[in-house]
């Protein structure tokens, strides 16, 4: 019996980090290198979309005797065909995007802290495939909130440094939010701060 041998290119993929937070931007570099010693007549290269990653752009550069395929973020996710990739040729794809709470759909994405976001690129030749995986750990910020108040003027002595906290006084509230996590970052698109106004208090200035 005869056995067909399929020579596959070497595929690598990385975004250069091992930890991410929701709201981070990222750039993946995917390389497909022909080290088989022969020309690869046809292959399909794809980088499927994943939940939580909103891809904004994709580009390609070629080295050696091979041409970049026409591609968009959509076609690269489903697969693009590359023909006649000579030995010692390399294609490098750059995919840029952002980790968001909705990603590529409208379903809210709330990954568990410490979970992995896994992204895979694949080259398929004659029904056989070679893949490269980039895996990053999800980190969240560790937030603490501190609220302080001080009277800055009172109806008896006016604007003084030691104003009395009595009815009719003007009070200044300060709210400080601190992230004590060395890795997890705050997603500015989803962070919300609420500060209810107490009864018998009139808000006249907000910074």
């Amino acid at each position: 019996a005869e056995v067909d041998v399929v020579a596959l290119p070497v595929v690598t993929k990385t975004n250069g980090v091992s930890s991410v937070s929701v709201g981070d931007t990222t750039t993946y570099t995917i390389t497909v290198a022909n080290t088989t010693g022969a020309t690869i007549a046809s292959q399909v290269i794809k980088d499927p979309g994943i939940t939580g990653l909103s891809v904004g752009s994709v580009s390609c550069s070629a080295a050696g005797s091979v041409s970049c395929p026409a591609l968009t973020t959509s076609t690269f996710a489903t697969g693009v065909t590359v023909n006649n990739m000579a030995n010692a040729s390399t294609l490098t794809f750059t995919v840029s995007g952002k980790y968001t709470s909705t990603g590529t759909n409208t379903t809210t994405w709330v990954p568990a802290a410490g979970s992995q976001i896994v992204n895979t690129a694949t080259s398929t030749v004659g029904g056989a495939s070679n893949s490269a995986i980039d895996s990053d750990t999800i980190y969240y910020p560790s937030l603490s909130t501190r609220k302080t108040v001080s009277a800055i003027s009172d109806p008896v002595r006016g604007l003084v440094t030691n104003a009395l906290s009595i009815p009719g006084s003007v009070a200044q509230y300060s709210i400080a939010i601190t992230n004590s996590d060395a890795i997890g970052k705050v997603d500015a698109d989803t962070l919300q701060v609420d500060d209810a106004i107490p009864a018998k208090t009139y808000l006249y200035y907000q910074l």
Side-chain angles (χ1 to χ4, degrees):
E2 294 183 354
V3 177
D4 292 331
V5 177
V6 178
L8 297 171
V10 176
V11 182
T12 64
K13 179 173 187 175
T14 182
N15 63 351
V17 299
S18 59
S19 61
V20 298
S21 297
V22 177
D24 282 354
T25 57
T26 189
T27 299
Y28 289 94
T29 301
I30 302 164
T31 62
V32 180
N34 183 2
T35 59
T36 65
T39 296
I40 298 175
S42 181
Q43 64 178 306
V44 175
I45 303 171
K46 66 178 179 179
D47 183 44
I50 59 172
T51 300
L53 178 65
S54 178
V55 177
S57 66
V58 58
S59 62
C60 173
S61 63
S65 184
V66 65
S67 298
C68 284
L71 77 165
T72 64
T73 56
S74 298
T75 59
F76 195 44
T78 57
V80 292
T81 299
V82 174
N83 295 319
N84 301 318
M85 185 179 197
N87 181 54
S89 296
T90 301
L91 290 173
T92 301
F93 299 92
T94 302
V95 180
S96 298
K98 182 178 182 179
Y99 301 108
T100 70
S101 58
T102 54
T104 56
N105 52 53
T106 57
T107 303
T108 300
W109 178 62
V110 186
S115 62
Q116 299 288 307
I117 181 166
V118 180
N119 205 327
T120 304
T122 303
S123 169
T124 301
V125 180
S129 297
N130 202 5
S131 299
I133 297 174
D134 181 275
S135 182
D136 300 318
T137 303
I138 297 289
Y139 284 88
Y140 284 99
S142 179
L143 300 179
S144 60
T145 305
R146 183 172 180 264
K147 183 176 182 179
T148 58
V149 60
S150 60
I152 59 176
S153 71
D154 64 53
V156 177
R157 294 177 296 176
L159 186 64
V160 291
T161 56
N162 57 345
L164 302 174
S165 296
I166 59 177
S169 295
V170 175
Q172 177 176 283
Y173 290 88
S174 299
I175 302 172
I177 301 174
T178 304
N179 178 17
S180 60
D181 194 290
I183 302 176
K185 296 179 284 297
V186 175
D187 180 10
D189 293 333
T190 59
L191 179 65
Q192 177 176 313
V193 179
D194 295 311
D195 183 35
I197 305 302
K200 302 185 184 301
T201 301
Y202 174 68
L203 178 66
Y204 75 94
Y205 183 74
Q206 181 178 0
L207 180 60

